[in-house]
Amino acid sequence: MKTAFIYSDDFAKYDYGSGHPLKPLRLRLTYELIKAYGLLSIADTTLIEARPSEEGDLLLYHTRDYIELLKAANRGLEMPGEEHYGLGIEDNPVFEGVFEWSRLVTGASLQAAELVDSGEVPIAFNISGGLHHALASSASGFCYINDPVIVISSLLKKGRRIAYIDIDAHHGDGVQYAFYRTDKVLTVSLHESGRYLFPGTGFEGETGEGEGRGYSVNIPMPPSSDDELFVYAFNEIVPTLIEKFRPDIVVGQLGVDSFLTDPLAHLNYTTNGFCEVVRKMKELSPKWIALGGGGYEITNVAKAWTLAWAIMNNVDLPDELPEAFLEQYPLEGFSSRKLRDDEYQEKGARKEMMREEVRGVVNGIRKTVFPLITPPT
Ligand SMILES: [Zn+2]
């Protein structure tokens, strides 16, 4: 099995500003932990230096006036009219290098797509990607350029059939909207219900329109959902969808802001449920472009994506974090010296209510969406 890891030290060079929850430093921390475990020097793995995308690639989805404004905002100065493009507000600050950062992240995702689509590797991972909220002419939810949409659009041009699976705590709204009216892309998002969390969408009734009816699938989860419910919902829905749809390539968004200790969302997953789902995603994917996503507790991010990368490479890692890594990052908050989280389960009446709710969502999708999905003709 060959794999590619797309990375640049420059990822961590950018700064959304102090107090902003998205810390590009988490990407360096992940890379260093992966390296400390020796996972970049195993046979059949290639480390690829990320390159910025061409400006033209951004136009596969975004409008020219938005791209021009984002480009002008690269100096980190306020731009007149920026608020009309979702820029300069608290979530999406204009910081120095904002355009370069966006091009680099998108470029890395396109490199992953190219390596996988050409058959060079069956799996490639860009931990900086998965910025699923950006809209055609607006930044949204810490995302300026929607790299999953650009990757999928570039593959559609080559006639590929794509399934997008998003397990971030937030609904993958930008990706859903981009492909809402086509049956060439199946989007599936498992997230905390929009009743409680940004962006307030992703309900089970949002199933696509026109030719795309049935090809947008949403699995909203109640707050406090645990690994058991997450794995149950995933297994009840995603494998059958993939079997019916028969994609050429799966694009996976592996956001980890769904974890118990994440400060932004209210889901209670751990590395245990996460790994089970990632393993399943690997099994289901004929070819797999893996992207990062949310994750605001940076030690969770490093641990979870290291585990994901190990799964991609069929390596079973020891649970003790490498000593040299802990010495290198003594202040980053690795409170436990373990790679994996303890098991965590919700209990009691609240759990039963959540179980009922999730079961209802799952059964609804099986009844209404499954019959609409057809294999390629
Ligand atoms: Zn998120």
Side-chain angles (χ1 to χ4, degrees):
M1 174 66 73
K2 290 191 169 152
T3 54
F5 190 82
I6 326 294
Y7 183 76
S8 169
D9 285 334
D10 285 349
F11 286 159
K13 193 172 93 176
Y14 301 99
D15 186 357
Y16 277 60
S18 63
H20 194 286
L22 184 61
K23 311 237 176 281
L25 172 67
R26 70 199 183 121
L27 303 173
R28 189 165 87 211
L29 208 59
T30 305
Y31 165 79
E32 293 288 354
L33 183 56
I34 283 175
K35 202 168 72 170
Y37 265 115
L39 288 174
L40 292 174
S41 43
I42 47 180
D44 286 343
T45 274
T46 317
L47 176 64
I48 308 265
E49 176 72 23
R51 295 187 306 263
S53 62
E54 302 292 331
E55 255 180 71
D57 294 326
L58 308 179
L59 298 170
L60 280 170
Y61 179 48
H62 296 281
T63 60
R64 185 170 288 281
D65 54 343
Y66 173 57
I67 294 302
E68 289 303 329
L69 192 81
L70 193 60
K71 190 171 159 185
N74 195 55
R75 285 170 302 164
L77 304 174
E78 273 182 34
M79 305 292 300
E82 62 184 14
E83 66 280 8
H84 302 301
Y85 296 88
L87 290 170
I89 58 172
E90 207 174 273
D91 274 3
N92 318 309
V94 165
F95 57 87
E96 198 183 334
V98 62
F99 186 61
E100 281 165 27
W101 153 256
S102 301
R103 276 183 60 202
L104 188 59
V105 167
T106 308
S109 291
L110 283 168
Q111 283 168 282
E114 178 56 34
L115 286 160
V116 167
D117 186 54
S118 66
E120 227 167 300
V121 296
I123 301 176
F125 193 9
N126 170 25
I127 56 172
S128 72
L131 304 182
H132 58 175
H133 294 303
L135 302 171
S137 60
S138 176
S140 175
F142 317 161
C143 309
Y144 301 88
I145 295 293
N146 198 316
D147 62 291
V149 170
I150 289 172
V151 158
I152 295 168
S153 300
S154 76
L155 295 167
L156 280 181
K157 276 175 51 182
K158 299 181 186 169
R160 309 291 183 257
R161 225 173 136 75
I162 309 297
Y164 171 77
I165 307 174
D166 184 325
I167 58 170
D168 194 277
H170 301 91
H171 174 221
D173 57 343
V175 187
Q176 172 177 305
Y177 299 147
F179 305 110
Y180 208 56
R181 302 183 66 86
T182 176
D183 56 2
K184 303 289 183 287
V185 181
L186 170 72
T187 64
V188 189
S189 180
L190 286 100
H191 47 262
E192 180 177 339
S193 167
R195 283 201 299 273
Y196 312 97
L197 192 70
F198 178 89
T201 51
F203 296 99
E204 56 269 46
E206 296 165 35
T207 57
E209 280 172 6
E211 284 184 356
R213 205 165 79 83
Y215 292 81
S216 291
V217 183
N218 286 293
I219 312 170
M221 304 291 289
S224 304
S225 288
D226 58 10
D227 285 333
E228 185 201 332
L229 295 175
F230 176 42
V231 172
Y232 163 77
F234 187 93
N235 284 341
E236 287 294 308
I237 300 293
V238 184
T240 309
L241 285 176
I242 297 295
E243 212 171 280
K244 284 171 157 286
F245 180 72
R246 285 196 236 144
D248 299 313
I249 300 177
V250 169
V251 176
Q253 200 268 21
L254 306 182
V256 291
D257 43 6
S258 51
F259 279 34
L260 181 62
T261 46
D262 190 273
L264 289 200
H266 321 98
L267 296 173
N268 292 344
Y269 307 164
T270 71
T271 53
N272 302 293
F274 175 77
C275 286
E276 212 170 321
V277 163
V278 168
R279 233 175 265 123
K280 192 78 193 178
M281 224 192 272
K282 180 184 177 207
E283 202 180 298
L284 294 170
S285 305
K287 294 175 166 191
W288 188 18
I289 299 162
L291 306 174
Y296 306 101
E297 206 289 301
I298 63 175
T299 67
N300 279 346
V301 175
K303 292 191 287 188
W305 290 347
T306 296
L307 283 161
W309 178 240
I311 291 169
M312 293 174 203
N313 288 286
N314 298 319
V315 176
D316 195 20
L317 293 178
D319 207 25
E320 289 295 318
L321 292 172
E323 201 56 46
F325 173 80
L326 288 173
E327 278 167 19
Q328 192 184 356
Y329 290 101
L331 300 175
E332 308 302 338
F334 286 90
S335 50
S336 124
R337 305 175 73 82
K338 301 275 187 212
L339 178 61
R340 293 168 186 83
D341 298 329
D342 292 335
E343 301 268 348
Y344 177 84
Q345 272 212 352
E346 291 292 322
K347 292 197 175 71
R350 168 92 188 110
K351 175 70 178 274
E352 288 317 307
M353 276 169 64
M354 290 193 285
R355 203 193 297 280
E356 273 314 298
E357 186 176 330
V358 175
R359 205 176 275 154
V361 169
V362 161
N363 289 339
I365 293 170
R366 294 180 72 96
K367 209 164 99 191
T368 56
V369 172
F370 279 11
L372 298 171
I373 310 289
T374 54
T377 44

